[in-house]
Amino acid sequence: MRFFTRLLLSVLFCTCASAGAAPASEDGYDLWLRYRALPAAEAARLAPHARAIVAPATTSPMLDAAIGELQRGVGGWLGTAPARTDEVRAGAIVLAMPATRGATAAWFDGLGQEGYRVLRTRLEGQSVTVIAANTDRGLLYGSFAYLRGIATDGAQKAPDLRSTPRLPLRLLNHWDDLNRHVERGYAGASIWHWWNLPDILDQRYTDYARANASLGINGAVLNNVNAKPDILTAPFIAKAAALANVLRPYGIKVYLSVRWSTPLELKATATADPLDPAVAAWWRAKSDELYAAIPDFGGFLVKANSEGQPGPHDYHRSHAEGANMLARAVAPHGGIVMWRAFVYSEDKPTDRARQAFDQFTPLDGQFDKNVIVQVKNGPIDFQPREPVHPLFGAMPRTPLLMEFQITKEYLGFSTHLAYLGTMFEETLRTDLRPGIGAGGQAATVTRVLDGTLDHGQATGMAGVANIGTDRNWSGSHFDQANWYVFGRLAWNPEAGAEAIAREWAAQTFSRAPRVVDTVSAMMMASREAVVDYMTPLGLHHVMGTGHHHGPAPWVDNLARPDWNPVYYHRADKAGIGFDRTAHGKGGSGSAGQYAPALARLYEDPASTPENLLLWFHHLPWTYTTRSGRPLWDELVHRYDAGVTAVAAMQKQWDSLAPYIDPQRHADTAQRLKVQHREALWWRDASIAYFQSINGLPLPAGARAPAQSLDDYKALKFPYPPGNG
Ligand code: GCU
């Protein structure tokens, strides 16, 4: 079809849509890269500036990917994809590298290896849109940025963008098993079809890569941290290599999780002792084999001596000795080892929240250069709210990588709407040395990651993926936003959760201000709502055993004390909360693991942020909170606030029915209904339980739980997703 005929059709279509017809149904597969026909006025603005794509003559897979995406995007919006040419002409999009004829040197200033500049300018006398970068990777990211700009702004303004990533490692961690089960996955099976690989390549692999490249995500750990030895056998290396070939044109490197005892279990060695020369030789040879198959292989992720996984401690060797042995195997190839700090001991009676710090800080300075210690955002385990992990800022001679969980293991799976941008941002912005940076730059967690705090090496962020075979990738439409915000913050940790929510909403649903305002308002309030109805005031780990679905604060019979909710909330007749103040005051001492200025805040209930009160303090039920309400009344108030906030989200979403396509609107409405029911359940079961402990009357006006405590305790959930 000729361009103008198509344009006319799209004009007609868009006029109908704005005249009141409901938007056409969508299943969410396209994520935020939807490229639907633009309304006439916008198409008319864009068309004269997107007539062709001028690209360097030398081609590369990444350059082809960039051009392919520009053609897909502009083609979707205008009806005709701009052709590729090597001649500069008026109205073209020019992909420029420093060698491009007529290019201005200043375009490339400070862009490094990954940055880009997008601007409207003149080249060889013609008015063009330039996407400039020093590398084809930069051109790929610049092309996606150009498309995002139009998708969010409707081609209102001439593009003028410049960006470089703040962090070099922007990684997804897939907790995907080789049988396609996804640990803590709530979006179907693993997208990696290991059985069919390497011969059969699913289109999803390419679309996954496109989505990641659009955010700047540049690495994927393919398999679960609870790894099997099989991943390092020749057949699985060939499968991983096939995936690497699909992901490479989109700038994504492949990494693998490895099980410490692999050579022993594959019967190649008699031990897994890192200091045994045969063990080190096996890992060297295995690394050589991996790099022969995947020349740009990224490296290993290791969960060792954690939750029953084997590790160097089994041979009385330290984490550093273990990590360094692996690091030396991949170092000749430029690989890295990401060694997880998620450890807590089976036989130590000390507070679980302090154990990683106790084990790792003595090792600061002992790790090889290509080892990065990967630390969860908080000291327990991805709770709806945790204080920052005390290791950040405490290992100045060791590069630390942030681990966030995008999949919502503890925040309502993919049923509850909880935008994690605010949670990620809260961690990244935490000032590790409050007061000390006064007048200067605060000592934020971001600055640990970018290496400026202790003048170390810039690292990055890893996000435990929420991606699966569900048609919409993430289980719910709103969970796509958590993948999105992770990627955008990994590129720029200071980009702002709200700004990111708005750009996601505009691309995913509609640019209409009413939609963007309402959707982003829902998102911005959503995580706090979950905290309120699940774990207010610093409570944590009170979820159902194993699957972590629903409230179970009463559980006290699990093998290890620190698996039991009662261990964490410590409620008794007199009070509630975990005393983590100094030993001398009777606490576990974990508040003292923070730098002195932060530790001082956390030592005193009066200066502890109220949203972490019961994380750090055991307080009487009568303790006066900042609202003036006694602690018990405040707790009930928070549970109620959480439920009310979900009801408000339902109303907000209902109001958008005319603007959102029926399929995605109905799916989200159903989920919000379940969320409201489950928020009430959390509230009622928690209140029923704590009331059974403290024997206090409910605050005036508070509604009694709908059922008895025994009813809540009796609930069972066979076959929960993501577990086992
Ligand atoms: C949590 C999660 C496990 C996971 C572990 C980890 O405990 O429930 O499924 O294996 O974290 O991060 O290693």
Side-chain angles (χ1 to χ4, degrees):
M1 209 182 310
R2 307 254 345 135
F3 170 73
F4 286 106
T5 325
R6 285 222 179 199
L7 188 61
L8 189 70
L9 279 181
S10 74
V11 168
L12 286 173
F13 166 76
C14 296
T15 319
C16 303
S18 56
S25 269
E26 294 188 37
D27 60 17
Y29 182 84
D30 292 337
L31 295 159
W32 47 89
L33 303 172
R34 289 164 56 253
Y35 310 133
R36 298 292 190 274
L38 286 178
E42 292 176 19
R45 276 198 299 267
L46 176 63
H49 299 288
R51 293 190 200 283
I53 298 169
V54 181
T58 53
T59 194
S60 78
M62 250 187 246
L63 191 61
D64 289 345
I67 293 167
E69 196 68 24
L70 288 171
Q71 290 178 323
R72 180 196 282 258
V74 174
W77 286 329
L78 299 182
T80 307
R84 176 180 183 165
T85 158
D86 50 11
E87 233 175 83
V88 175
R89 57 175 83 159
I93 302 166
V94 181
L95 295 175
M97 305 258 259
T100 301
R101 208 172 52 214
T104 303
W107 294 344
F108 308 93
D109 275 357
L111 295 186
Q113 294 302 298
E114 298 192 287
Y116 58 80
R117 176 95 169 87
V118 182
L119 72 162
R120 183 79 46 81
T121 185
R122 292 193 86 78
L123 188 68
E124 299 190 355
Q126 309 287 357
S127 165
V128 295
T129 303
V130 166
I131 301 176
N134 289 316
T135 60
D136 48 3
R137 178 188 290 271
L139 290 178
L140 178 68
Y141 295 149
S143 299
F144 276 109
Y146 162 84
L147 292 166
R148 179 167 56 242
I150 294 166
T152 50
D153 148 89
Q156 305 259 14
K157 297 187 296 271
D160 185 8
L161 308 165
R162 185 186 181 286
S163 190
T164 57
R166 180 101 169 249
L167 306 174
L169 294 170
R170 308 178 295 274
L171 314 173
L172 287 182
N173 286 186
H174 290 268
W175 284 1
D176 295 18
D177 293 325
L178 306 183
N179 62 4
R180 303 192 78 184
H181 175 262
V182 181
E183 183 153 343
R184 311 309 176 183
Y186 312 104
S190 168
I191 57 169
W192 315 129
H193 202 312
W194 292 103
W195 184 260
N196 282 354
L197 285 164
D199 305 299
I200 301 172
L201 298 173
D202 196 312
Q203 173 62 30
R204 267 203 186 235
Y205 304 154
T206 307
D207 291 333
Y208 161 88
R210 290 175 45 237
N212 280 331
S214 78
L215 308 172
I217 289 173
N218 62 3
V221 182
L222 300 179
N223 60 318
N224 193 351
V225 287
N226 298 315
K228 295 277 188 245
D230 313 65
I231 192 68
L232 290 182
T233 58
F236 278 92
I237 292 177
K239 292 167 194 282
L243 287 174
N245 290 341
V246 180
L247 305 187
R248 188 173 298 112
Y250 293 90
I252 299 163
K253 274 190 190 180
V254 154
Y255 299 75
L256 294 176
S257 294
V258 294
R259 181 167 165 89
W260 178 259
S261 51
T262 301
L264 178 65
E265 289 183 59
L266 294 180
K267 301 196 170 31
T269 58
T271 170
D273 180 351
L275 300 195
D276 185 293
V279 171
W282 186 88
W283 282 103
R284 272 198 308 274
K286 188 51 76 178
S287 301
D288 295 346
E289 183 188 341
L290 269 166
Y291 279 91
I294 312 174
D296 56 350
F297 178 67
F300 298 132
L301 173 63
V302 192
K303 172 175 178 177
N305 292 119
S306 160
E307 298 188 327
Q309 296 295 319
H313 287 183
D314 305 351
Y315 305 91
H316 308 289
R317 313 295 184 197
S318 71
H319 284 293
E321 286 169 313
N324 292 346
M325 185 274 287
L326 287 184
R328 286 166 202 168
V330 291
H333 306 282
I336 60 169
V337 169
M338 294 165 288
W339 193 268
R340 295 177 88 224
F342 178 65
V343 294
Y344 53 100
S345 154
E346 278 159 54
D347 25 64
K348 282 220 181 83
T350 56
D351 176 6
R352 172 172 159 186
R354 59 170 301 145
Q355 293 187 20
F357 181 99
D358 289 343
Q359 282 193 42
F360 275 81
T361 47
L363 302 175
D364 192 24
Q366 293 183 26
F367 291 97
D368 277 13
K369 270 195 159 27
N370 59 331
V371 177
I372 301 180
V373 174
Q374 180 164 317
V375 184
K376 289 189 181 181
N377 59 292
I380 295 289
D381 191 15
F382 300 135
Q383 296 303 294
R385 171 166 280 117
E386 297 198 29
V388 68
H389 200 297
L391 276 175
F392 289 107
M395 294 192 70
R397 290 184 294 161
T398 308
L400 303 183
L401 189 82
M402 172 64 72
E403 179 176 314
F404 284 127
Q405 193 180 45
I406 307 172
T407 189
K408 303 205 313 297
E409 175 181 355
Y410 293 99
L411 289 98
F413 300 179
S414 57
T415 318
H416 295 204
L417 196 164
Y419 172 56
L420 302 180
T422 46
M423 179 164 110
F424 300 159
E425 183 170 78
E426 180 174 300
T427 303
L428 293 166
R429 286 186 175 172
T430 301
D431 187 351
L432 297 165
R433 298 166 196 167
I436 293 176
Q441 240 190 323
T444 59
V445 173
T446 293
R447 293 187 54 219
V448 175
L449 305 182
D450 75 8
T452 59
L453 188 64
D454 296 307
H455 309 290
Q457 177 187 326
T459 57
M461 281 166 43
V464 180
N466 65 348
I467 297 161
T469 50
D470 277 7
R471 186 68 192 156
N472 66 20
W473 299 86
S474 301
S476 78
H477 298 291
F478 272 86
D479 275 304
Q480 297 177 353
N482 291 326
W483 176 6
Y484 187 90
V485 70
F486 168 78
R488 297 287 285 144
L489 286 175
W491 180 277
N492 176 11
E494 286 171 358
E498 182 160 17
I500 295 171
R502 294 183 69 85
E503 66 176 43
W504 174 81
Q507 293 171 88
T508 303
F509 292 119
S510 157
R511 252 188 320 278
R514 166 131 193 207
V515 173
V516 174
D517 291 348
T518 309
V519 167
S520 61
M522 290 169 65
M523 290 164 77
M524 290 305 287
S526 60
R527 178 263 188 150
E528 206 59 46
V530 174
V531 171
D532 276 342
Y533 63 73
M534 287 188 183
T535 55
L537 299 173
L539 289 177
H540 50 288
H541 223 303
V542 289
M543 291 76 184
T545 303
H547 49 65
H548 301 152
H549 172 64
W554 46 82
V555 171
D556 61 0
N557 58 355
L558 304 179
R560 290 176 52 160
D562 55 5
W563 283 349
N564 287 301
V566 295
Y567 169 90
Y568 294 100
H569 64 66
R570 304 190 167 214
D572 56 23
K573 183 105 189 119
I576 181 170
F578 199 132
D579 185 353
R580 293 194 162 108
T581 61
H583 292 307
K585 292 194 265 173
S588 76
S590 64
Q593 293 180 325
Y594 295 92
L598 196 52
R600 266 196 302 281
L601 283 185
Y602 292 156
E603 284 288 342
D604 182 354
S607 55
T608 301
E610 197 156 71
N611 59 23
L612 291 172
L613 196 60
L614 303 177
W615 185 284
F616 286 111
H617 302 282
H618 185 85
L619 297 168
W621 294 105
T622 51
Y623 175 85
T624 307
T625 62
R626 279 168 213 172
S627 64
R629 284 185 278 268
L631 181 55
W632 169 235
D633 293 25
E634 181 66 21
L635 203 59
V636 174
H637 172 76
R638 296 287 172 125
Y639 286 124
D640 278 325
V643 176
T644 306
V646 179
M649 283 202 287
Q650 285 183 288
K651 273 216 167 98
Q652 287 167 301
W653 187 248
D654 286 349
S655 78
L656 294 181
Y659 306 94
I660 310 274
D661 62 278
Q663 191 174 346
R664 290 187 298 167
H665 192 273
D667 183 80
T668 303
Q670 287 175 17
R671 282 168 203 275
L672 285 168
K673 195 168 163 198
V674 178
Q675 183 174 6
H676 187 251
R677 189 178 71 218
E678 294 188 349
L680 272 171
W681 165 40
W682 265 96
R683 176 226 182 250
D684 284 358
S686 305
I687 291 175
Y689 169 69
F690 289 125
Q691 202 178 20
S692 78
I693 301 288
N694 64 20
L696 293 170
L698 283 174
R703 187 182 49 74
Q707 289 172 272
S708 76
L709 178 57
D710 285 340
D711 292 336
Y712 296 118
K713 286 187 176 177
L715 294 173
K716 297 268 179 299
F717 305 96
Y719 312 117
N723 195 33

